[in-house]
Amino acid sequence: QQQVKQSPQSLIVQKGGISIINCAYENTAFDYFPWYQQFPGKGPALLIAIRPDVSEKKEGRFTISFNKSAKQFSLHIMDSQPGDSATYFCAASKGNYQLIWGAGTKLIIKP
Amino acid sequence: GAGVSQTPSNKVTEKGKYVELRCDPISGHTALYWYRQSLGQGPEFLIYFQGTGAADDSGLPNDRFFAVRPEGSVSTLKIQRTERGDSAVYLCASSLSQSSGRTGELFFGEGSRLTVL
C-alpha cells in the first residue's frame, strides 16, 4: 500500500528527444506527487510537483501527467539535453513530509 | 550559506563505534527531516522535526538511532553501535511550514556518506 513503483530503471535518450519516466502508486490517500532530480554527490532537488486535482502540469521542458483512476503519473522531458543527465525520483505523500520514493531512473542524454 | 549544510560529508568508522551526523538547515525553516539513501535506492524517511520536537520518528530503524534538535535549528543524528548495514548516505532536508499543516518544498543537503567497516 505504501509503495511507489518507478520505471524504467535506466534510460538513454538522444539529445533533442523526449524522455519519459513512469510511476505507479497504491495508496489512494496520497495527495502530493513530486519529481526530484539528483546529480552524483548531490542531494535531490525538487523539479516539479502535482496534486491530484489536475491531470497535467508543465514547467518549461518538464511536464507531469497524472492519471488518478489508474494511480499512475509520469514525467516527460521535452527537447532533452545532456545537462538533464541525472537520476530522477518520483515520490508520493499524504499531505506532508513522509515522502515515499520510487527507486529512481538513471537518465543519460546522448549528444 | 544559503542551503542546507551537512557535516561531515564523509565518515568512515568501525563496526560498533558511535557516530554523529550534523545538519544545519536553511535559516527560518522550522521543519527538518532526516532521510537515508542506500546505493541505487530512493531516500527512506527516518524522522521529522517541527521546531525542537520530533513530530514523527516512525522511520528510525531501531533504538540505536536517535536525533535531536535542541534549539529548533541545527539537528544531530546519532547512531550507536554502528553496523555494516548502516552504511548509506544520510540526507537532511528542511522546509517552511505552512498554515494548512502541509509542509512546503523540501530542500536537501548534499548528505553525509557513512561507511561502516
Side-chain angles (χ1 to χ4, degrees):
Chain A
Q1 266 267 317
Q2 285 291 87
Q3 281 188 322
V4 175
K5 295 182 180 178
Q6 183 172 347
S7 62
Q9 190 173 11
S10 62
L11 181 63
I12 300 174
V13 175
Q14 288 292 130
K15 180 183 173 185
I18 302 173
S19 305
I20 302 174
I21 305 170
N22 301 297
C23 281
Y25 63 98
E26 299 171 356
N27 189 341
T28 55
F30 288 151
D31 63 358
Y32 176 63
F33 303 90
W35 284 91
Y36 282 82
Q37 180 188 57
Q38 186 175 31
F39 293 104
K42 303 292 186 182
L46 181 65
L47 195 59
I48 186 172
I50 198 168
R51 297 199 185 272
D53 51 344
V54 296
S55 60
E56 186 174 283
K57 183 174 181 180
K58 184 176 180 179
E59 290 184 2
R61 296 185 294 109
F62 301 92
T63 300
I64 297 180
S65 296
F66 184 80
N67 186 330
K68 189 174 180 178
S69 61
K71 293 186 284 185
Q72 295 175 346
F73 58 110
S74 60
L75 176 69
H76 291 61
I77 306 175
M78 312 300 285
D79 187 27
S80 300
Q81 298 297 311
D84 297 331
S85 297
T87 299
Y88 291 80
F89 292 95
C90 63
S93 72
K94 180 181 182 304
N96 46 24
Y97 55 88
Q98 198 178 117
L99 290 170
I100 308 298
W101 296 68
T105 296
K106 186 172 183 179
L107 175 64
I108 297 172
I109 306 300
K110 283 195 161 184
Chain B
V4 176
S5 176
Q6 291 189 247
T7 55
S9 55
N10 276 288
K11 177 70 176 179
V12 180
T13 191
E14 293 179 345
K15 180 174 177 291
K17 298 290 187 182
Y18 170 80
V19 165
E20 287 190 354
L21 307 175
R22 175 190 166 106
C23 173
D24 197 345
I26 293 172
S27 177
H29 281 190
T30 57
L32 183 145
Y33 319 77
W34 284 98
Y35 281 81
R36 178 169 70 175
Q37 187 173 24
S38 299
L39 193 64
Q41 305 276 331
E44 173 191 5
F45 170 78
L46 295 177
I47 187 169
Y48 158 56
F49 286 91
Q50 185 59 257
T52 60
D56 186 342
D57 64 358
S58 63
L60 295 177
N62 52 59
D63 61 6
R64 296 186 298 106
F65 288 74
F66 189 71
V68 295
R69 195 185 185 199
E71 297 178 357
S73 178
V74 171
S75 176
T76 304
L77 179 66
K78 307 180 181 193
I79 310 174
Q80 298 178 320
R81 304 183 304 281
T82 51
E83 300 178 356
R84 291 194 181 88
D86 299 336
S87 297
V89 175
Y90 289 82
L91 293 166
C92 177
S94 69
S95 75
L96 290 168
S97 293
Q98 298 174 344
S99 58
S100 62
R102 296 178 180 278
T103 53
E105 176 184 348
L106 270 62
F107 293 85
F108 283 86
E110 295 192 347
S112 292
R113 180 177 298 278
L114 175 65
T115 303
V116 182
L117 301 176

